[in-house]
Amino acid sequence: MIIFGAGGDLTKRKLIPALFHLCHGKLLPESFAVVGVDRLEMDDHAFRDMMESDVQGNLGAAWDPATWARLRERLHYMQGDIKDQGAYQTLCERLSQIDAERGTDGNYLFYLAVPPMLFADITRLLGAVGLTSEGASDWRRVIIEKPFGSDLDSAKALNGMLHETLDEGQIYRIDHYLGKETVQNIMVFRFSNGFIEPLWNRQHIDHVQITVAESVGVEHRGAYYDTAGALRDMIPNHLLVLLGFLGMEPPNSFESDAVRDEINKVLDAVHPLTPEQVLTNAVRGQYGDGVMTNGEQVSAYRLSPGVAAGSRTETYAALKLTLDNWRWAGVPFYLRTGKRLHGQYTEVVIQFKRAPTIMFKDADTAQMSPDMLVLRIQPNEGIQMSFGAKIPGPRMRVGTVNMDFCYADYFGNAPATGYETLIYDCMNGDATLFKHAETVEKGWEIVESVQDVWSALPARDFPNYAAGSWGPPGADDLLKNDGRHWRRIR
Ligand code: BG6
């Protein structure tokens, strides 16, 4: 595994810890080695020492010296300028030498932990020295991370450039939401339980809510975020991953093409929003000063480092989407995401239709909530079913109760970064949990109609929600106008 950008944050926070967990679970082959590539002057020992102190800090209680010793001696380092062709020649030689020492058989996984503008150059230079050409028995794969372009045109251009050197089957596009156990579990929950699927359609479901709420701000990424905004940063990728898994038909198998085709069909079915519909079905917001739930006083987005003083970039986006297909016709999917909100959580709410009639005369129907399934993606991972039950007593009263499954109760809190499965799958050539070029382009297509209207009509009312609140009032109206409301967690 060759990591470009080995001195960066992702390597120490996610990649090496994920390899540590794989090593701990005996899921790395004996003939495995890492070559970190970066500009910093270092030898193998210095790289190992640097990783050791960073990773030990990151892993906390999960640290295990014996596992680290096994991984540590597999770490190598090569100093090089990744824009310089000469570095790739040196890399070829280094890899042949490691192949010989460790019997790695010429199978290479290139992980581009670098800014996206370098993706195309690195693959081209790898191709120029023959490092992307697969033989009869060896493989060459490249992992890249979002953002995959910043709109439809740039995503197509990036895919075009990658395809000049690589086959689609060699490109593994990571959306870290696909690495989350609870996201993968949406498929397991739907397709391994006979009782769920018959209810999972417009006959029984009133609407679906997908919330990715963050209490954090833009941290040190103000300069990037100010050019992206909440819509482009989160929706074409993470929220549409959730929409794809929730909306898909059962694939014929758990093979990557079968699964990815079904996800693409969901995105294809998203009803395109006209500019007039964008005005009523999409809501944007930007946070101003406010107080977070922990009492922390935070300043407005516009005062974040790297953000323009009069920025009109949205830090909150909510959309109402519908799908033009038999399963979902007429069922709204409400999506929302934002920074500096009241809480930090990701969840999906499946709101079932009410019973056709309430026969219990004394029941206070106004107090009865419709049945609801909540998939808690993070934190407190689990699934909650809310339904009506008889309140004990001589009168026939109905109250809402919850049945709750918590991952931690059944499976403990297995330490993971979310990258373990993805790296493992890539090594095994399984692209199911990676994004196809087409999926990426469809994602951009969906948000582009909204982005175009928003760019043409810069928001005049920003900031329009206080940090620590639930977002702009317009997002509540989006559901209120349909006689619904967002689920709130305290
Ligand atoms: C990233 C976005 O892709 O996902 C960030 O760029 C966001 O802005 C992050 O904070 C959210 O990921 P998670 O796993 O914390 O929900």
Side-chain angles (χ1 to χ4, degrees):
M1 176 167 168
I2 301 92
I3 305 178
F4 288 93
D9 229 33
L10 187 70
T11 307
K12 63 180 183 213
R13 283 199 311 114
K14 303 285 184 186
L15 305 183
I16 303 293
L19 292 175
F20 177 93
H21 292 138
L22 288 174
C23 187
H24 190 69
K26 310 234 173 336
L27 293 170
L28 288 182
E30 266 311 303
S31 53
F32 173 80
V34 172
V35 181
V37 182
D38 215 314
R39 296 175 79 111
L40 310 167
E41 196 68 63
M42 247 189 301
D43 61 10
D44 286 357
H45 287 289
F47 181 59
R48 290 169 183 172
D49 288 346
M50 181 171 104
M51 286 299 128
E52 182 164 324
S53 67
D54 288 337
V55 174
Q56 190 169 9
N58 278 327
L59 289 176
W63 178 257
D64 159 34
T67 302
W68 178 252
R70 283 205 304 279
L71 182 59
R72 183 187 155 102
E73 55 120 7
R74 293 181 158 73
L75 302 183
H76 303 268
Y77 184 78
M78 190 193 107
Q79 190 274 334
D81 174 357
I82 51 187
K83 290 195 187 142
D84 166 26
Q85 177 123 33
Y88 292 77
Q89 206 48 57
T90 318
L91 180 63
C92 276
E93 288 152 23
R94 192 74 198 274
L95 290 175
S96 310
Q97 185 195 342
I98 294 172
D99 277 345
E101 278 167 29
R102 300 207 173 257
T104 40
D105 286 342
N107 295 325
Y108 302 143
L109 188 174
F110 298 100
Y111 201 117
L112 311 194
V114 294
M117 68 262 202
L118 296 171
F119 293 165
D121 284 346
I122 296 179
T123 30
R124 188 176 44 76
L125 290 167
L126 284 171
V129 293
L131 278 173
T132 53
S133 313
E134 299 187 317
S137 60
D138 54 30
W139 50 260
R140 310 286 161 93
R141 298 175 189 141
V142 176
I143 296 188
I144 60 173
E145 290 247 4
K146 77 168 263 272
F148 312 115
S150 54
D151 56 18
L152 182 58
D153 285 346
S154 54
K156 281 187 172 163
L158 174 62
N159 285 333
M161 285 187 280
L162 295 175
H163 289 151
E164 280 171 19
T165 311
L166 301 164
D167 289 336
E168 178 62 20
Q170 292 177 281
I171 308 172
Y172 287 69
R173 297 177 191 79
I174 282 199
D175 180 318
H176 77 278
Y177 262 60
L178 286 164
K180 295 186 192 283
E181 292 289 347
T182 42
V183 173
Q184 295 165 26
N185 188 51
I186 296 175
M187 270 200 290
V188 176
F189 182 63
R190 287 189 55 197
F191 304 135
S192 71
N193 297 303
F195 73 100
I196 289 293
E197 236 358 69
L199 303 177
W200 207 262
N201 55 49
R202 72 194 146 86
Q203 251 72 275
H204 301 282
I205 293 178
D206 176 73
H207 75 275
V208 177
Q209 299 178 13
I210 302 176
T211 299
V212 181
E214 296 190 276
S215 52
V216 293
V218 290
E219 299 175 301
H220 54 279
R221 298 159 66 231
Y224 149 75
Y225 193 88
D226 210 35
T227 59
L231 180 76
R232 288 192 279 195
D233 184 45
M234 297 294 284
I235 295 188
N237 33 68
H238 309 328
L239 278 88
L240 292 187
V241 158
L242 294 168
L243 178 73
F245 276 14
L246 293 164
M248 74 199 288
E249 293 303 315
N252 285 354
S253 68
F254 196 56
E255 296 296 318
S256 62
D257 284 349
V259 173
R260 299 196 302 179
D261 281 356
E262 294 304 338
I263 289 175
N264 285 345
K265 281 193 218 160
V266 176
L267 302 187
D268 262 342
V270 172
H271 187 83
L273 296 177
T274 62
E276 292 71 36
Q277 285 168 330
V278 170
L279 300 177
T280 51
N281 292 5
V283 175
R284 58 185 157 167
Q286 188 194 79
Y287 67 84
D289 300 338
V291 184
M292 304 304 294
T293 36
N294 62 4
E296 187 195 351
Q297 178 86 44
V298 301
S299 0
Y301 168 72
R302 287 177 176 176
L303 299 176
S304 312
V307 171
S311 171
R312 293 188 190 270
T313 299
E314 80 286 351
T315 57
Y316 182 101
L319 296 183
K320 173 182 167 182
L321 298 178
T322 50
L323 302 182
D324 292 333
N325 62 22
W326 273 58
R327 184 185 285 263
W328 295 114
V331 179
F333 284 75
Y334 300 100
L335 281 56
R336 64 174 168 169
T337 184
K339 300 276 185 200
R340 286 293 187 212
L341 294 177
H342 183 84
Q344 176 91 18
Y345 70 100
T346 299
E347 70 170 29
V348 171
V349 173
I350 310 291
Q351 180 80 71
F352 289 96
K353 292 187 170 167
R354 284 180 184 276
T357 174
I358 305 295
M359 67 184 84
F360 311 111
K361 298 279 177 290
D362 283 349
D364 179 356
T365 43
Q367 290 300 312
M368 288 173 57
S369 321
D371 305 334
M372 179 196 284
L373 186 70
V374 181
L375 309 179
R376 288 193 307 268
I377 305 297
Q378 63 184 24
N380 189 18
E381 290 78 0
I383 297 179
Q384 174 189 314
M385 178 79 216
S386 306
F387 54 93
K390 181 177 180 300
I391 301 174
R395 287 172 58 214
M396 179 56 86
R397 290 187 305 142
V398 183
T400 301
V401 296
N402 295 326
M403 229 159 45
D404 210 335
F405 151 64
C406 284
Y407 261 77
D409 294 346
Y410 282 80
F411 306 118
N413 277 319
T417 61
Y419 280 71
E420 290 76 2
T421 311
L422 298 175
I423 294 174
Y424 180 78
D425 282 359
C426 180
M427 290 195 287
N428 284 297
D430 180 352
T432 311
L433 297 175
F434 293 84
K435 289 195 146 174
H436 195 277
E438 224 179 287
T439 318
V440 168
E441 291 172 17
K442 284 181 200 302
W444 283 120
E445 235 170 271
I446 292 169
V447 296
E448 201 145 81
S449 51
V450 179
Q451 188 62 50
D452 286 350
V453 175
W454 284 1
S455 306
L457 298 171
R460 298 200 186 287
D461 60 341
F462 280 0
N464 60 353
Y465 72 96
S469 72
W470 280 102
D476 289 337
D477 296 340
L478 187 67
L479 273 74
K480 219 185 274 167
N481 295 340
D482 295 342
R484 302 181 172 112
H485 59 84
W486 295 104
R487 183 180 112 91
R488 297 222 156 155
I489 62 168
R490 310 264 144 235

